[in-house]
Amino acid sequence: MEPYTGNESDGFLARRGAIRGPSSGLPFPFVGSHPRVIAGLIDDELDNLVCEAFDCTDTDDTFRGKLRAAMDRIQPGVLTSICAYRIGFEGDAATELSLLITVLPGSLRPAQAVNAIGELSAVLESYNERLGNMAIEIAEQIIETIAMSGRLPGVPSEDIKSTSLGSAPSIGSSIGPEGQGQSSAGTLGAFFRIVTNGTPQYFALTCNHVLSSSRMPAIPGSSGTPVHVVCPAWRDHFHWWTAADNVIKHRSTDARRVSKAVAQKMLCEASHHPVGTVYASSGVRTNTPGNWVQDWALIKLDSKRFPPEELSNIPLPSSCEVFERLANRNLDDIDWTPRMEFSRAAPRPEEGSPLFKLGRSTGHTVGEYHKIDASASIAYSCDGPNGKQNVTVKGKVHVVLGSDSSPRFAAGGDSGALVLNGHAEPVGLLTAVADGSVAHGVGYVASFAPILDNIKEVVQRGPDAKKIEVEFL
């Protein structure tokens, strides 16, 4: 199979594979703008072999590391993700197992992409000669850290309005750093109880990049300017207040609409409450072993606003009904109460298992777990000695594909949403989303077990923290 190139303007650079275009008979070579689909793996010998190859850490001497090195030989610093999927065309039944390599827009010419396919093929064959002719595709893709993105959706989901404007925020609510004009907005993912030396304290969990542009971890008790957190995020509060005020000012003839606008404006004027203060965070980094991406922050809750007995469990009761509708399946047999001790990792889901989340921008969505974790290069805008600087974190993340009911699993502003399996067990924290011609809207999720380990490690570094117990509420 000879590689062929596509149309640069559509984000598709080159591909080597048996499926060379849609069966509808469109002109060849196809262009990336023709709707593409990516799908999970099947129980096939070659698919299983690829899974075995990717079952490694993301370090230099592994299969993943050798694929990274192959791309760096062509053009260093342009890679955004490495993963394997079944790729096809919308409306076609056929999909082909493909190694998908994504790069920054404008960073590679099609001729360079063809050369890269040769380098990558050699790595595949060196692992197992049967992989030597595996399909390979190279396309452009941005990985968005989806809270401070310039493409953050301006309109938050209606799914989270009532919780965000309520007296006490709950799971899925819009949150952000305090301060008029703050553009960042993300999602409150979960509540924790941490017992330090016998004293319980209560926290909310979200992504570090929702609240901070520091690349360094925040250690409990360390000096520095405290980061105060509000709900809803400033930009969402402003949106809801302005939308209601405009309806009232224009004196709509729809009495019901005006009544709802008055109620919404009153809620806005009574809300925008403090949530708490950042207590500890990971910064932006990876951890070992495994080289999993770390991007979390703990917010110490105001005990007056968050009485321990009133903290919400997950998911919200209404979420179960919505998830049931979106998943098109009966969830009556699901307890929605975690079946595990929080100190243990949830079992790895099966390929295609439904995963659930409630986020600031896309609300309730149902996705499908992908068995192969991606090797991602995620760019963060962090504080530096001379202003903002880009910091790229290279590591592993879980992959969540879209579903029939939620083709796009996540969007900007969903950062911090907790991703759950069918037993309400935490799989991870939604950290980034793919924006490209192929894997568009795919969610990248920081794995929960390494997050838990890192939380314990960071909190343990606080003053007089001799014994730490962490409980997921």
Side-chain angles (χ1 to χ4, degrees):
M1 296 181 289
E2 290 297 319
Y4 52 91
T5 58
N7 187 332
E8 274 184 90
S9 64
D10 293 315
F12 165 71
L13 296 175
R15 178 177 175 83
R16 183 194 72 180
I19 298 179
R20 299 176 66 85
S23 61
S24 56
L26 291 178
F28 175 80
F30 68 87
V31 295
S33 58
H34 184 80
R36 312 291 302 287
V37 294
I38 61 171
L41 306 180
I42 62 175
D43 188 12
D44 173 87
E45 192 173 351
L46 194 60
D47 291 52
N48 293 334
L49 184 59
V50 170
C51 283
E52 291 176 10
F54 273 96
D55 186 17
C56 60
T57 60
D58 191 2
T59 51
D60 291 346
D61 58 344
T62 65
F63 177 75
R64 293 172 181 270
K66 290 174 181 177
L67 292 174
R68 280 191 183 275
M71 288 303 299
D72 284 343
R73 288 194 291 273
I74 300 297
Q75 186 70 39
V78 303
L79 183 71
T80 56
S81 74
I82 302 171
C83 200
Y85 308 92
R86 287 194 156 269
I87 300 179
F89 293 87
E90 190 174 86
D92 287 358
T95 58
E96 185 174 17
L97 180 63
S98 307
L99 174 67
L100 177 63
I101 303 292
T102 64
V103 297
L104 293 170
S107 62
L108 280 188
R109 298 186 305 276
Q112 290 177 296
V114 170
N115 291 338
I117 286 176
E119 294 278 349
L120 296 164
S121 180
V123 174
L124 293 173
E125 191 168 5
S126 69
Y127 180 83
N128 189 300
E129 62 179 14
R130 295 184 56 215
L131 296 181
N133 289 322
M134 179 180 171
I136 302 173
E137 180 161 331
I138 299 179
E140 295 180 339
Q141 180 191 84
I142 298 172
I143 296 182
E144 301 268 8
T145 49
I146 51 183
M148 293 183 172
S149 163
R151 300 206 281 229
L152 179 68
V155 181
S157 169
E158 289 292 304
D159 291 353
I160 55 99
K161 182 194 292 186
S162 61
T163 62
S164 299
L165 294 176
S167 59
S170 55
I171 301 305
S173 295
S174 159
I175 60 172
E178 183 183 48
Q180 186 171 352
Q182 288 280 357
S183 62
S184 178
T187 302
L188 192 161
F191 290 112
F192 286 78
R193 176 170 52 238
I194 298 180
V195 181
T196 306
N197 302 333
T199 303
Q201 299 181 86
Y202 292 84
F203 302 89
L205 178 70
T206 190
C207 282
N208 174 80
H209 77 265
V210 170
L211 304 175
S212 172
S213 53
S214 173
R215 66 177 298 181
M216 302 303 295
I219 308 299
S222 59
S223 60
T225 305
V227 178
H228 300 290
V229 183
V230 293
C231 174
W234 184 90
R235 63 179 292 154
D236 294 341
H237 181 269
F238 180 76
H239 165 78
W240 281 318
W241 187 94
T242 303
D245 190 56
N246 285 340
V247 171
I248 297 168
K249 281 182 177 178
H250 288 88
R251 299 179 181 179
S252 170
T253 57
D254 185 340
R256 185 177 178 184
R257 186 180 179 210
V258 172
S259 177
K260 289 177 67 176
V262 170
Q264 180 169 308
K265 187 175 178 180
M266 290 176 65
L267 274 176
C268 288
E269 290 172 348
S271 66
H272 202 47
H273 299 299
V275 174
T277 305
V278 173
Y279 175 78
S281 72
S282 62
V284 290
R285 59 186 58 236
T286 58
N287 76 315
T288 54
N291 211 36
W292 292 96
V293 169
Q294 293 287 340
D295 183 1
W296 58 265
L298 285 178
I299 306 160
K300 187 175 181 180
L301 299 173
D302 182 338
S303 60
K304 293 180 180 179
R305 290 203 57 231
F306 293 89
E309 66 275 8
E310 295 181 11
L311 288 176
S312 301
N313 205 331
I314 51 101
L316 301 173
S318 60
S319 292
C320 186
E321 299 173 9
V322 177
F323 288 146
E324 184 176 72
R325 172 173 54 80
L326 291 175
N328 193 28
R329 58 179 290 191
N330 190 329
L331 301 181
D332 288 344
D333 59 332
I334 295 179
D335 187 356
W336 287 113
T337 300
R339 66 185 179 192
M340 62 167 188
E341 295 288 335
F342 181 64
S343 59
R344 296 203 302 268
R348 180 178 281 266
E350 296 295 322
E351 177 73 37
S353 296
L355 298 180
F356 308 87
K357 78 105 183 67
L358 175 59
R360 173 262 181 197
S361 297
T362 55
H364 297 90
T365 57
V366 176
E368 296 179 0
Y369 178 77
H370 186 52
K371 192 172 182 179
I372 297 179
D373 302 311
S375 291
S377 297
I378 305 177
Y380 294 89
S381 178
C382 296
D383 295 331
N386 300 310
K388 296 293 183 183
Q389 63 181 31
N390 287 330
V391 175
T392 299
V393 174
K394 301 176 182 179
K396 288 171 63 174
V397 286
H398 294 313
V399 175
V400 185
L401 308 179
S403 63
D404 291 341
S405 62
S406 311
R408 185 179 177 91
F409 182 70
D414 287 331
S415 284
L418 196 67
V419 177
L420 306 167
N421 67 14
H423 297 277
E425 297 169 329
V427 173
L429 204 62
L430 187 62
T431 300
V433 66
D435 185 1
S437 61
V438 184
H440 189 66
V442 165
Y444 291 134
V445 176
S447 185
F448 194 72
I451 286 176
L452 174 59
D453 291 340
N454 196 230
I455 287 174
K456 292 177 178 177
E457 176 189 337
V458 172
V459 173
Q460 191 79 49
R461 292 162 65 184
D464 301 321
K466 297 178 180 178
K467 183 179 179 182
I468 303 292
E469 297 176 10
V470 181
E471 184 179 359
F472 175 54
L473 300 179

